[in-house]
Amino acid sequence: MNIPAEAQAFIKRQGWGCIRSTKSVNGGCINNVVWIETEHGPPALIKTNQYPPPNMFAREADGLRTLAVHGGPKVPIVYACGRDWIMMEYLYAAPKRDDYWESLGANLARLHNVTNDKFGFSNYNYIGSTPQKNTWTTDGHTF
């Protein structure tokens, strides 16, 4: 897979050096996903789409940043994004823990304790490539 020039320029500006290796990652159906290792930077994922809907990756970045609440579930840090790509922190599989489900439940509860007096989101976004309207409303059923 070709890494977009804009993403390569970001890596260089960060001082992460050259890309040493890449590996295709499975799991998505509309984007190509690649794990990258650089000389000096953190392992990262780059998702690309040759023909993305408008602002798809910018909206994904907004959503991930919003989900990253203190004490909530681990959400990858977004490093950068462009029109047809997004680069984020690579999350390794966590070790097995006896209290996994209890911990996940507590983290999800902390995420859901972040509330608003309205339902919606600051931007429309996507479920895959399908537009999701997020108009603010006071009625959760309408939303």
Side-chain angles (χ1 to χ4, degrees), residues 28-45:
C29 62
I30 65 165
N31 299 308
N32 295 311
V33 183
V34 173
W35 171 87
I36 66 163
E37 178 183 39
T38 62
E39 292 175 310
H40 308 292
L45 282 182

Side-chain angles (χ1 to χ4, degrees), residues 18-121:
C18 295
I19 296 174
R20 290 200 317 203
S21 63
T22 63
K23 182 180 176 184
S24 200
V25 177
N26 294 327
C29 62
I30 65 165
N31 299 308
N32 295 311
V33 183
V34 173
W35 171 87
I36 66 163
E37 178 183 39
T38 62
E39 292 175 310
H40 308 292
L45 282 182
I46 298 180
K47 292 170 57 174
T48 63
N49 187 314
Q50 192 172 3
Y51 305 105
N55 299 311
M56 181 175 78
F57 290 117
R59 297 297 75 87
E60 180 173 354
D62 292 342
L64 288 169
R65 290 177 181 127
T66 301
L67 288 170
V69 302
H70 179 71
K74 177 67 175 151
V75 175
I77 297 166
V78 175
Y79 297 133
C81 66
R83 183 193 68 76
D84 58 355
W85 63 278
I86 185 170
M87 183 186 311
M88 65 186 76
E89 174 186 19
Y90 177 76
L91 297 180
Y92 290 97
K96 290 185 178 184
R97 296 173 34 176
D98 290 339
D99 68 340
Y100 171 80
W101 292 108
E102 181 181 341
S103 176
L104 176 62
N107 290 346
L108 287 171
R110 283 189 284 276
L111 173 63
H112 285 91
N113 277 333
V114 177
T115 61
N116 195 312
D117 59 347
K118 295 181 183 174
F119 299 88
F121 194 60

